[in-house]
Amino acid sequence: QAASGGATLTIPNAAIRSDGTGDRVYVIRGGRAFERTVHIGLTDGQTTAVTGELAAGDTVATVGVSTLKDSILVNVVNK
């Protein structure tokens, strides 16, 4: 889950998918993964501060992120 640290959200590093077009995460809602654009900030090696299309309390995918696509059905194994 995205955790709020004041004005900044922190998420697990494993949730971030980076490529030549930007950084994104996948928010899990109703059994689907929805792509959200984020801007990454400071990291402590395990979590990273982000801003963008993410809200405190959102559940983000941390496994299989490289294979996800927007609106794809997912099976949440552990929350």
Side-chain angles (χ1 to χ4, degrees):
Q1 278 195 336
S4 178
T8 303
L9 296 176
T10 56
I11 60 173
N13 290 352
I16 301 170
R17 180 175 175 185
S18 299
D19 59 28
T21 63
D23 302 305
R24 63 187 59 84
V25 298
Y26 289 90
V27 174
I28 308 302
R29 260 194 214 120
R32 291 189 180 270
F34 297 97
E35 183 179 280
R36 299 291 185 255
T37 302
V38 295
H39 302 282
I40 58 174
L42 297 177
T43 183
D44 66 6
Q46 293 185 349
T47 61
T48 298
V50 297
T51 58
E53 302 174 337
L54 196 60
D58 280 348
T59 298
V60 293
T62 57
V63 176
V65 174
S66 64
T67 62
L68 294 177
K69 297 184 185 312
D70 193 39
S71 300
I72 195 169
L73 287 170
V74 294
N75 182 24
V76 177
V77 176
N78 188 5
K79 192 172 179 181

